[in-house]
C-alpha cells in the first residue's frame, strides 16, 4: 500500500497547491516533461511526504504522463467519438468504441497477446462479456484492469459466476420475503411472525405513508440480511444486500432517514465491507457515505449526543458506532495521503476503545448473576464500567422489553379480534387481514373497503375523497359507475403486485420465504450495538503500523 499512499499524498499536495502537471512549465509543447521544474517539485515534496527524492520524482512523472495521456484521449474522443480505455497491461491504452461489447476487448487481447481467458475489472467489478461497455459504466479514459486467467483460475471464475448467480437469487428471495411481510401485521401466524411496526428511538410508532413504510421495511430487511452475512465474514455477499438496502432507503423521505439511526449504521456497514474487501477504488464513495453517517448521527443524537441521553439515558452503547466511524475515517484519510488527519482520527478511536473494550472480569461477574454475555457487554458500556449500575440497567432494560412485548401482544390480539369480526360477516380471513392492514386496524374502514365491492384502489380513493364517509363514498362510486378519473386515482398510490400476492398467506412457498428471512432478523433490538471490537482492534493495529512506517520515512 506504500506506493498507493505516496501517489495519493502527492495528488493531495498537487491539488492543494493548484499545480497542473499537464501545463507549462511542467509539460512542454511536445508533451515532454520540464525536467528542471519536475526535479524542483520532487525535491520540495520529498521531505513533506517522507519518501526519497528519486521515488517522489518517479511517481510525479507517472502522474504527469497519466494526465497528459488523459488529455490526449479527451481530445480524440471529442473529435472521433472513439474512447481511450486504459487497459492495465505493459502497453499503452487501447482505443475502442464504447458501443462494442466487452467480448470484443477479450478477443483483441487474445489475438494480440495469446491470452486464452482474461477478466476485465472496472472499479472493483468484473465486466460482463455479453454487455456493451457503456452499459456497464465504462467511460472515456476509464482505467480497466486486465487479468490473465489460467485454466485453474477459469474454473474458479466459473465458481464465482455461480456464486454471483446465488447472490442474485438470495437478493430476490430476501426482497420477496420482506415484501410479503410488509403487507402483514402478524395476525396470520402469531406464533412465528413478528409484529412489524416502524417506531422511533423511544418505541413510539411512526405514522408514515403506506408505500414509504413498505420501502423502509424492505430496506431494514436487506440490512438485517447483510449484517447477518457480515457476521459470517461473507463480505462480498453482504455488500450486495447492503447496497440493496441503501437503494430502498433512497425511496424514503429525508425526514424519516434522520429520525432514526438505521440509515447511518447502514453507511458504516457498507464502508466496513469496502475495507474488508480492500476496495480502494471505492474511496470517494466511502468518504461520501461516512459523511452521510456522521450527519445522520448528528441530527439523530444531537451535537453533544444530548438527544441520545434524553431518550435512552446513556450514550455508552452507541459510542461503538462512533469508534467505527472514526476508524474508517482514519483509514480513508491514510489511503488518500493525509497522514496527519489519519493520526488525529486514530487518537479518538484509541480513546474510545480504551473505554469500550469489555473488561472480562466484570463481564464474568455480571454473567454469574444470570445475565447474558451481550447484556453484560452492553450494560457495562452504558454505565461506564460500573458493575452495580450495569446490573440495575440490565434489569430495567429487561422490564422495558417485557412491557414492549405485552403491548405488541395486545395489538396483535386486537387485530385478531377485528379479523374475527369481519370473518363472521362472511369475508375470508385473508381478505379481512388485508383490508385491516390497508385500514391501519380500523374495523369500520376495513369493512368499507370490503363492502364497496369495487376495485381496491378505486374504493380507497373514494373513501379518501369523502374523508372516510362510507355512505358518501358509496354514492360517489355508484354515480360514476365505479369509475374515477385518472387524475384522482394518480393521487392515490397504486396497489403493488406484492399487495395482491400477500392475500395468499397460506401458500407454502410464501411461508418458506417468510421463515427464511425471519432467520436473519435479530430478536434483540440492540444487536447492531453489540460489537466485540475484535475486528476493530485488528484494524487499529494495522493503522498504527502504517502510520509509524510513514513517520519512520519522515525521520
Amino acid at each position: 500500500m506504500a506506493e498507493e499512499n505516496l501517489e495519493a499524498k502527492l495528488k493531495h499536495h498537487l491539488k492543494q497547491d493548484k499545480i497542473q502537471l499537464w501545463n507549462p512549465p511542467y509539460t512542454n509543447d511536445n508533451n515532454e516533461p520540464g525536467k528542471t521544474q519536475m526535479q524542483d517539485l520532487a525535491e520540495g515534496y520529498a521531505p513533506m511526504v517522507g519518501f526519497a527524492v528519486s521515488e517522489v520524482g518517479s511517481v510525479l512523472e507517472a502522474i504527469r504522463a497519466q494526465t497528459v495521456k488523459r488529455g490526449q484521449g479527451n481530445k480524440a474522443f471529442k473529435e472521433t467519438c472513439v474512447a481511450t480505455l486504459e487497459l492495465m497491461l505493459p502497453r499503452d491504452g487501447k482505443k475502442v468504441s464504447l458501443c462494442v461489447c466487452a467480448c470484443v476487448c477479450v478477443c483483441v487481447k487474445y489475438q494480440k497477446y495469446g491470452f486464452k481467458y482474461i477478466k476485465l475489472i472496472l472499479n472493483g467489478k468484473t465486466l460482463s462479456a455479453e454487455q456493451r461497455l457503456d452499459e456497464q459504466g465504462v467511460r472515456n479514459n476509464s482505467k480497466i484492469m486486465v487479468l490473465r486467467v489460467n485454466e485453474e483460475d477459469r474454473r474458479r471464475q466459473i465458481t464465482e459466476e455461480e456464486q454471483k448467480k446465488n447472490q442474485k437469487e438470495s437478493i430476490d428471495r430476501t426482497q420477496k420475503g420482506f415484501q410479503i411481510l410488509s403487507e402483514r401485521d402478524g395476525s396470520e401466524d402469531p406464533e412465528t411472525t413478528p409484529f412489524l411496526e416502524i417506531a422511533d428511538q423511544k418505541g413510539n410508532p411512526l405514522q408514515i405513508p403506506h408505500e414509504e413504510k413498505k420501502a423502509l421495511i424492505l430496506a431494514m430487511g436487506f440490512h438485517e440480511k447483510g449484517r447477518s452475512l457480515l457476521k459470517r465474514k461473507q463480505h462480498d455477499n453482504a455488500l450486495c444486500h447492503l447496497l440493496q438496502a441503501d437503494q430502498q432507503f433512497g425511496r424514503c423521505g429525508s425526514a424519516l432517514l434522520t429520525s432514526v439511526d438505521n440509515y447511518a449504521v447502514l453507511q458504516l456497514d457498507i464502508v466496513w465491507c469496502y475495507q474488508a474487501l480492500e476496495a480502494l477504488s471505492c474511496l470517494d464513495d466511502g468518504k461520501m457515505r461516512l459523511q452521510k453517517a456522521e450527519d445522520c448521527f448528528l441530527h439523530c443524537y444531537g451535537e453533544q449526543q444530548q438527544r441520545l441521553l434524553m431518550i435512552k439515558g446513556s450514550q455508552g452503547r452507541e459510542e461503538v458506532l462512533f469508534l467505527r466511524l472514526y476508524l474508517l475515517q482514519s483509514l480513508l484519510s491514510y489511503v488518500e495521503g493525509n497522514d496527519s488527519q489519519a493520526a488525529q482520527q486514530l487518537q479518538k478511536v484509541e480513546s474510545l476503545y480504551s473505554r469500550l473494550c469489555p473488561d472480562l472480569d466484570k463481564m464474568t461477574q455480571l454473567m454469574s448473576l444470570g445475565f447474558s454475555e451481550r447484556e453484560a457487554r452492553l450494560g457495562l458500556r452504558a454505565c461506564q464500567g460500573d458493575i452495580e449500575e450495569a446490573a440495575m440497567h440490565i434489569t430495567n432494560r429487561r422490564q422495558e422489553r417485557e412491557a414492549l412485548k405485552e403491548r405488541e401482544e395486545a395489538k396483535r390480539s386486537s387485530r385478531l379480534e377485528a379479523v374475527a369480526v369481519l370473518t363472521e360477516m362472511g369475508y375470508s380471513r385473508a381478505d379481512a387481514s388485508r383490508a385491516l392492514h390497508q385500514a391501519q386496524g380500523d374495523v369500520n374502514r376495513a369493512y368499507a373497503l370490503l363492502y364497496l365491492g369495487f376495485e381496491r384502489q378505486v374504493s380507497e380513493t373514494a373513501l379518501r375523497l369523502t374523508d372516510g364517509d362510507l355512505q358518501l363514498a358509496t354514492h360517489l362510486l355508484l354515480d360514476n359507475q365505479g369509475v374515477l378519473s385518472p387524475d384522482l386515482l394518480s393521487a392515490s398510490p397504486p396497489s403493488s403486485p406484492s399487495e395482491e400476492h400477500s392475500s395468499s398467506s397460506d401458500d407454502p412457498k410464501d411461508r418458506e420465504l417468510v421463515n427464511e428471512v425471519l432467520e436473519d432478523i435479530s430478536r434483540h433490538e440492540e444487536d447492531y450495538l453489540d460489537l466485540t471490537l475484535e475486528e476493530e482492534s485488528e484494524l487499529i493495529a494495522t493503522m498504527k503500523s502504517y502510520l509509524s512506517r510513514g513517520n519512520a520515512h519522515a525521520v
Side-chain angles (χ1 to χ4, degrees):
M1 188 179 282
E3 185 175 341
E4 291 91 339
N5 182 234
L6 172 57
E7 183 177 347
K9 285 182 176 181
L10 290 173
K11 286 182 177 179
H12 174 75
H13 285 297
L14 290 169
K15 183 178 179 181
Q16 195 174 46
D17 296 339
K18 299 181 179 179
I19 292 176
Q20 298 177 334
L21 294 180
W22 61 93
N23 284 332
Y26 306 103
T27 298
N28 62 28
D29 293 339
N30 297 321
N31 291 327
E32 296 172 345
K35 294 183 178 180
T36 302
Q37 290 79 8
M38 292 293 289
Q39 180 66 21
D40 291 344
L41 205 59
E43 291 175 357
Y45 281 151
M48 298 170 65
V49 296
F51 284 82
V53 173
S54 59
E55 290 180 273
V56 174
S58 176
V59 174
L60 280 173
E61 172 53 24
I63 295 172
R64 188 201 68 81
Q66 186 182 52
T67 57
V68 170
K69 185 190 294 183
R70 183 171 294 130
Q72 292 172 332
N74 288 337
K75 182 180 179 182
F77 184 63
K78 289 178 182 178
E79 294 174 352
T80 65
C81 291
V82 174
T84 298
L85 305 182
E86 187 175 343
L87 301 178
M88 298 179 70
L89 285 168
R91 300 278 178 157
D92 290 338
K94 179 70 182 177
K95 294 186 178 181
V96 299
S97 171
L98 292 179
C99 65
V100 302
C101 295
C103 63
V104 174
C105 284
V106 173
C107 292
V108 168
K109 293 297 108 183
Y110 174 65
Q111 293 169 2
K112 191 167 185 177
Y113 296 98
F115 293 173
K116 188 173 182 181
Y117 301 118
I118 68 170
K119 284 202 303 185
L120 302 179
I121 311 294
L122 174 68
N123 295 332
K125 295 182 180 179
T126 302
L127 297 181
S128 168
E130 308 303 323
Q131 285 182 270
R132 286 172 34 155
L133 295 174
D134 54 349
E135 290 175 348
Q136 301 182 74
V138 179
R139 300 291 181 265
N140 184 41
N141 281 323
S142 287
K143 183 183 290 186
I144 298 177
M145 181 183 294
V146 180
L147 299 182
R148 183 173 185 172
V149 180
N150 56 33
E151 292 288 348
E152 182 181 346
D153 290 337
R154 174 61 178 167
R155 288 193 291 271
R156 190 181 301 116
Q157 185 176 339
I158 293 173
T159 302
E160 290 174 358
E161 289 171 357
E162 186 64 30
Q163 289 175 344
K164 286 186 178 180
K165 181 180 177 183
N166 293 337
Q167 280 180 359
K168 185 179 184 305
E169 183 180 343
S170 174
I171 288 172
D172 290 343
R173 291 179 67 83
T174 300
Q175 177 155 349
K176 192 172 182 181
F178 278 104
Q179 277 180 337
I180 296 170
L181 275 177
S182 71
E183 293 302 325
R184 296 184 179 181
D185 53 17
S187 60
E188 287 87 350
D189 191 353
E191 296 300 320
T192 60
T193 306
F195 190 90
L196 292 181
E197 187 173 62
I198 308 299
D200 61 17
Q201 291 169 315
K202 289 184 178 180
N204 300 318
L206 292 174
Q207 299 301 321
I208 58 178
H210 180 63
E211 289 299 308
E212 197 168 345
K213 180 180 179 181
K214 283 170 54 182
L216 189 56
I217 289 176
L218 275 175
M220 295 169 72
F222 273 119
H223 193 183
E224 286 291 325
K225 179 70 175 181
R227 290 183 59 251
S228 175
L229 292 166
L230 262 179
K231 291 177 183 178
R232 301 198 289 269
K233 305 294 179 65
Q234 297 178 21
H235 297 103
D236 195 9
N237 201 5
L239 182 59
C240 291
H241 287 78
L242 295 174
L243 291 174
Q244 286 292 321
D246 188 60
Q247 190 177 59
Q248 292 297 329
F249 269 122
R251 296 171 56 193
C252 303
S254 58
L256 177 63
L257 295 184
T258 54
S259 63
V260 290
D261 58 9
N262 304 68
Y263 186 62
V265 176
L266 172 64
Q267 303 310 311
L268 290 185
D269 288 340
I270 290 174
V271 183
W272 191 258
C273 278
Y274 286 167
Q275 71 83 23
L277 295 169
E278 298 184 355
L280 295 180
S281 59
C282 299
L283 174 64
D284 289 339
D285 185 65
K287 286 174 60 181
M288 177 192 70
R289 291 186 184 280
L290 292 184
Q291 189 59 56
K292 283 183 181 179
E294 191 165 20
D295 293 343
C296 186
F297 283 139
L298 179 64
H299 192 280
C300 190
Y301 294 160
E303 193 156 345
Q304 300 297 324
Q305 300 184 30
Q306 67 271 17
R307 288 189 62 207
L308 186 62
L309 285 169
M310 183 175 64
I311 293 169
K312 292 193 173 182
S314 70
Q315 62 191 53
R317 292 162 297 180
E318 281 74 13
E319 282 188 323
V320 293
L321 301 177
F322 288 93
L323 184 151
R324 182 168 278 194
L325 171 66
Y326 299 149
L327 181 54
L328 290 170
Q329 287 176 335
S330 176
L331 174 63
L332 294 191
S333 292
Y334 173 78
V335 173
E336 197 177 29
N338 193 339
D339 286 14
S340 60
Q341 181 66 27
Q344 183 180 342
Q345 292 300 96
L346 191 60
Q347 283 183 346
K348 293 161 71 173
V349 171
E350 292 188 279
S351 175
L352 283 171
Y353 182 81
S354 64
R355 296 205 310 269
L356 300 174
C357 189
D359 185 307
L360 296 181
D361 290 337
K362 292 180 179 180
M363 284 188 62
T364 301
Q365 292 182 54
L366 285 171
M367 291 166 66
S368 69
L369 298 176
F371 301 126
S372 68
E373 180 182 339
R374 171 185 285 161
E375 287 177 320
R377 186 162 39 240
L378 292 174
L380 285 170
R381 285 175 182 166
C383 301
Q384 289 75 49
D386 188 296
I387 294 180
E388 291 185 6
E389 287 189 13
M392 185 174 295
H393 171 82
I394 297 169
T395 302
N396 291 338
R397 291 293 295 158
R398 282 186 172 184
Q399 292 172 349
E400 290 171 5
R401 281 196 294 273
E402 191 61 34
L404 178 62
K405 184 179 178 182
E406 290 176 0
R407 290 198 301 271
E408 289 179 353
E409 289 177 351
K411 290 177 181 178
R412 193 194 298 267
S413 177
S414 175
R415 183 62 58 88
L416 287 170
E417 290 174 5
V419 169
V421 169
L422 293 174
T423 54
E424 287 174 3
M425 295 179 180
Y427 299 106
S428 71
R429 179 185 177 85
D431 286 343
S433 296
R434 187 175 64 184
L436 281 164
H437 188 73
Q438 293 294 321
Q440 298 183 339
D442 188 313
V443 177
N444 293 328
R445 189 174 175 83
Y447 172 68
L449 289 171
L450 293 165
Y451 171 78
L452 290 176
F454 298 98
E455 290 184 8
R456 189 195 316 170
Q457 187 185 359
V458 175
S459 299
E460 290 176 352
T461 303
L463 285 168
R464 177 176 55 81
L465 293 172
T466 58
D467 294 325
D469 190 303
L470 175 59
Q471 189 173 2
L472 288 176
T474 304
H475 284 304
L476 176 63
L477 290 172
L478 290 174
D479 290 344
N480 289 275
Q481 298 182 342
V483 178
L484 297 180
S485 70
D487 291 340
L488 293 175
L489 290 175
S490 63
S492 179
S495 301
S496 68
S498 64
E499 290 178 6
E500 301 298 331
H501 184 74
S502 68
S503 63
S504 56
S505 58
D506 294 328
D507 188 331
K509 292 183 179 179
D510 283 2
R511 288 200 300 271
E512 181 184 343
L513 280 172
V514 168
N515 291 335
E516 185 179 304
V517 298
L518 287 178
E519 290 178 2
D520 294 307
I521 296 181
S522 173
R523 292 298 191 252
H524 196 286
E525 72 279 6
E526 292 180 330
D527 177 71
Y528 72 104
L529 299 175
D530 185 32
L531 302 179
T532 64
L533 299 184
E534 292 175 1
E535 292 180 76
E536 286 77 5
S537 175
E538 292 175 4
L539 186 52
I540 289 171
T542 300
M543 284 301 304
K544 290 175 73 174
S545 171
Y546 287 157
L547 291 171
S548 63
R549 194 183 309 157
N551 291 335
H553 274 297
V555 174

